[in-house]
């Protein structure tokens, strides 16, 4: 067992997102989102699954919050469904806001700190109109500011931490280049335009929120930075890894923290985009100061210049391809390399220098309930080793403030549907029964001891 390297005020949390757990897609005046449309598109999701019912958390949230309290969870990262709060993307629906007010009050009553993610991919469908809709539209940043302000004014007095976007890389590159996510577009060039508008939405929302949120509110963004490794030491593989670092990481980090898109990024994307959608002043707006950075991590990415075994190009480019990382993998096919998290946190400390929250980390498995129990030792090992990786980063001086397990409940895992289970709590989707997995009890014990 490792020694206790967690600072006294280190915060233990769990994370979820609205579309993955809430269900109740037609209740309380909610409008459709791009994920409702996409999940109902034949062939888009494994087994034809949708988020229509999911974990029915919209109705069962008190029970779910009780579970968290029982486990001793100190902080809960949830996301707000924009189409619940603004069904057409513009008009406020008080019933939707009331749901989140009750949720937040329910957390506070149980002594759990809310971390509110404003956007976890469920864009109101009415903002995705035509070929230039969704995040391709320059109108979106201002629509997002309006949404952010509604939440800031309504809940800012009781939510001490707000993160703007969850993983804008996924929204841009999986939504517009690879087509694995809503809205399912498949043109590399579109991803860069979408990424820029997401960056701009983030920056403008932060500036607007500063004016309405109490001083001291922790404002951040959640990035799934890729810990990129080259497939070999060959110069073309090393160049491919550098290319991916630029288009997947620095496309967000540079304008947010280093003053603007770099010349390196512009050079590496010649032929992919001309950046003509960037207007004077945009980069200054994106670069507004943040209080912390949220980092989501599951696995490193190894890339090379030539197609690997599955021939899969890195989303948004045809100049880099995924290569396999030898060793154990999860049922997602994701390699298990805990040291990648330490390396990533060290890089963030070096390049960004803000306090860091690890806001997602976890393992999927095909968990089954046997005699009322779920023995998910593989998840316990994964979480243990990644927390040890966080401890290692702390020892090396990285200012990590908190860690959130992805996720509380088995849920709708986007294009993968319901088969792949990430929860600490097993959900039987036939009757919505919740069963604590061994990992939930293990995590409760870590929290109680404040040590691994
Ligand atoms: C992240 C997402 C989250 C969940 C995990 C497994 O990319 O933010 O919603 O799907 O992956």
């Amino acid at each position: 067992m490792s020694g206790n390297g967690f600072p006294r005020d280190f915060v233990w949390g769990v994370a979820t997102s609205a579309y993955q757990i809430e269900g109740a897609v037609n209740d309380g005046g909610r409008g459709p989102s791009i994920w409702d449309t996409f999940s109902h598109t034949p062939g888009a999701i494994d087994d034809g699954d949708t988020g229509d019912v999911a974990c029915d958390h919209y109705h069962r949230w008190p029970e779910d919050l009780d579970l968290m309290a029982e486990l001793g969870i100190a902080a809960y990262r949830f996301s707000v469904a924009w189409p619940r709060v603004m069904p057409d993307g513009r008009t406020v629906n008080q019933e939707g806001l009331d749901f989140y007010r009750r949720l937040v009050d329910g957390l506070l009553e149980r002594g759990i700190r809310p971390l509110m993610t404003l956007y976890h991919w469920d864009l109101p469908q009415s903002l995705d109109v035509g070929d230039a809709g969704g995040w391709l539209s320059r109108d979106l940043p201002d629509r997002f500011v309006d949404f952010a302000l509604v939440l800031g004014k309504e809940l800012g007095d009781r939510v001490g931490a707000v993160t703007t976007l969850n993983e804008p890389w996924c929204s841009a590159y999986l939504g517009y280049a690879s087509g694995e996510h809503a809205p399912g577009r498949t043109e590399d060039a579109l991803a860069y335009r979408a990424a820029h508008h997401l960056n701009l939405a983030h920056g403008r929302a932060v500036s607007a929120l500063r004016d309405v949120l109490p001083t001291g509110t922790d404002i951040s963004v959640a990035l799934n930075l890729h810990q990129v490794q080259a497939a070999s030491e060959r110069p073309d593989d090393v160049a491919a890894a550098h290319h991916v670092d630029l288009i997947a990481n620095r496309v967000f980090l540079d304008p947010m923290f280093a003053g603007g898109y770099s010349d390196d990024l512009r050079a590496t994307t010649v032929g992919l985009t001309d950046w003509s959608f960037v207007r004077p002043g945009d980069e200054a707006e994106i670069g507004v100061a943040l209080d912390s950075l949220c980092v989501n991590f599951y696995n490193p990415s190894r890339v090379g210049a030539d197609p690997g075994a599955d021939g899969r190009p890195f989303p948004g480019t045809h100049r880099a391809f995924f290569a396999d990382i030898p060793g154990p993998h999860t049922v997602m096919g994701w390699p298990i390399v805990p040291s990648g998290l330490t390396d990533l946190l060290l890089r963030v400390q070096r390049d960004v220098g803000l306090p860091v929250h690890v806001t997602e980390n976890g393992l999927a498995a095909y968990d089954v309930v046997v005699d009322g129990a779920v023995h998910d030792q593989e998840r316990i090992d994964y979480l243990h080793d990644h927390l040890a990786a966080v401890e290692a980063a702390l020892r090396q001086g990285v200012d990590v403030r908190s860690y959130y397990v992805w996720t509380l409940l088995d849920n709708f895992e986007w294009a993968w549907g319901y088969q792949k289970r990430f929860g600490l709590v097993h959900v039987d989707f036939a009757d919505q029964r919740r069963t604590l997995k061994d990992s939930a009890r293990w995590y409760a014990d870590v929290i109680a001891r404040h040590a691994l």
Side-chain angles (χ1 to χ4, degrees):
M1 280 287 168
S2 18
N4 187 6
F6 296 101
R8 192 196 275 275
D9 53 359
F10 190 83
V11 175
W12 308 95
V14 291
T16 65
S17 90
Y19 187 69
Q20 294 179 275
I21 62 168
E22 285 181 3
V25 291
N26 296 314
D27 290 29
R30 180 185 181 278
S33 79
I34 57 173
W35 268 96
D36 295 285
T37 307
F38 190 68
S39 67
H40 282 270
T41 305
I45 312 293
D46 283 3
D47 302 325
D49 288 338
T50 74
D52 289 2
V53 179
C55 309
D56 195 31
H57 173 76
Y58 182 75
H59 297 113
R60 294 167 195 266
W61 64 267
E63 177 193 346
D64 294 336
L65 267 50
D66 286 346
L67 279 175
M68 275 190 259
E70 186 185 326
L71 296 173
I73 306 284
Y76 178 50
R77 172 175 179 244
F78 68 98
S79 82
V80 177
W82 188 344
R84 251 188 223 297
V85 167
M86 296 170 120
D88 61 358
R90 296 164 192 272
T91 320
V92 175
N93 169 38
Q94 190 59 42
E95 213 178 332
L97 272 180
D98 290 345
F99 169 71
Y100 293 105
R101 177 181 283 270
R102 284 195 299 274
L103 180 75
V104 167
D105 286 347
L107 289 166
L108 297 174
E109 279 159 22
R110 290 167 180 80
I112 302 170
R113 277 197 227 177
L115 162 51
M116 178 164 73
T117 302
L118 292 173
Y119 184 72
H120 200 125
W121 310 348
D122 43 359
L123 185 73
Q125 181 59 57
S126 54
L127 295 181
D128 186 25
V129 197
D131 274 0
W135 291 105
L136 302 176
S137 162
R138 195 162 162 105
D139 186 41
L140 257 272
D142 289 334
R143 300 283 65 75
F144 182 67
V145 169
D146 289 350
F147 167 59
L149 280 175
V150 167
L151 268 306
K153 287 177 187 158
E154 183 80 14
L155 297 177
D157 62 335
R158 53 196 76 193
V159 171
V162 177
T163 201
T164 54
L165 305 173
N166 176 68
E167 303 189 356
W169 178 83
C170 292
S171 301
Y173 290 85
L174 303 183
Y176 292 88
S178 75
E180 291 157 80
H181 281 185
R185 304 286 298 270
T186 52
E187 264 176 78
D188 287 349
L190 302 182
Y192 299 90
R193 187 187 188 89
H196 177 60
H197 292 152
L198 284 152
N199 279 336
L200 194 55
H202 156 78
R204 286 189 181 168
V206 173
S207 297
L209 284 169
R210 285 274 177 230
D211 293 337
V212 301
L213 293 177
T215 314
T217 305
D218 181 346
I219 306 184
S220 62
V221 64
L223 301 179
N224 59 320
L225 295 172
H226 297 254
Q227 207 271 318
V228 190
Q229 312 174 349
S232 79
E233 287 170 8
R234 277 175 28 207
D236 54 350
D237 286 338
V238 172
H242 183 58
H243 175 67
V244 166
D245 185 47
L246 286 163
I247 66 166
N249 294 329
R250 290 184 47 195
V251 67
F252 302 106
L253 293 174
D254 286 348
M256 287 181 187
F257 305 107
Y261 298 109
S262 63
D263 292 343
D264 272 4
L265 176 63
R266 288 174 187 268
T268 203
T269 49
V270 168
L272 292 169
T273 178
D274 61 8
W275 300 96
S276 55
F277 40 80
V278 180
R279 300 206 185 146
D282 285 0
E283 287 151 296
E285 287 194 86
I286 298 167
V288 60
L290 298 181
D291 302 294
S292 63
L293 178 65
C294 300
V295 172
N296 298 348
F297 177 85
Y298 293 88
N299 54 271
S301 301
R302 186 167 290 184
V303 299
D306 302 318
D310 62 7
R312 210 154 53 97
F314 198 86
T317 184
H318 46 270
R319 295 176 197 158
F321 296 84
F322 283 103
D324 191 33
I325 295 181
H329 290 67
T330 73
V331 300
M332 303 293 286
W334 298 352
I336 303 178
V337 189
S339 62
L341 178 53
T342 311
D343 295 342
L344 184 62
L345 291 170
L346 288 167
R347 186 243 174 117
V348 164
Q349 175 87 342
R350 198 175 60 235
D351 289 2
V352 178
L354 287 174
V356 187
H357 305 284
V358 176
T359 40
E360 285 185 28
N361 178 239
L363 168 134
Y366 299 118
D367 301 304
V368 284
V369 182
V370 179
D371 297 333
V374 181
H375 301 305
D376 57 341
Q377 188 59 42
E378 199 190 351
R379 178 170 296 103
I380 294 175
D381 293 344
Y382 179 97
L383 296 175
H384 173 278
D385 293 352
H386 284 78
L387 277 167
V390 170
E391 265 189 320
L394 283 161
R395 272 199 302 275
Q396 292 172 71
V398 185
D399 185 5
V400 190
R401 301 283 175 93
S402 61
Y403 174 89
Y404 294 72
V405 174
W406 182 269
T407 181
L408 179 67
L409 305 167
D410 292 341
N411 62 39
F412 176 76
E413 181 41 48
W414 308 112
W416 303 87
Y418 291 99
Q419 296 305 317
K420 299 189 164 64
R421 296 170 173 272
F422 271 97
L424 293 173
V425 178
H426 183 278
V427 177
D428 182 332
F429 293 104
D431 61 9
Q432 293 294 343
R433 182 193 302 256
R434 273 77 163 137
T435 305
L436 293 185
K437 300 181 191 176
D438 288 355
S439 59
R441 300 182 198 282
W442 172 85
Y443 193 45
D445 185 53
V446 169
I447 296 170
R449 291 184 296 103
H450 202 75
L452 266 186

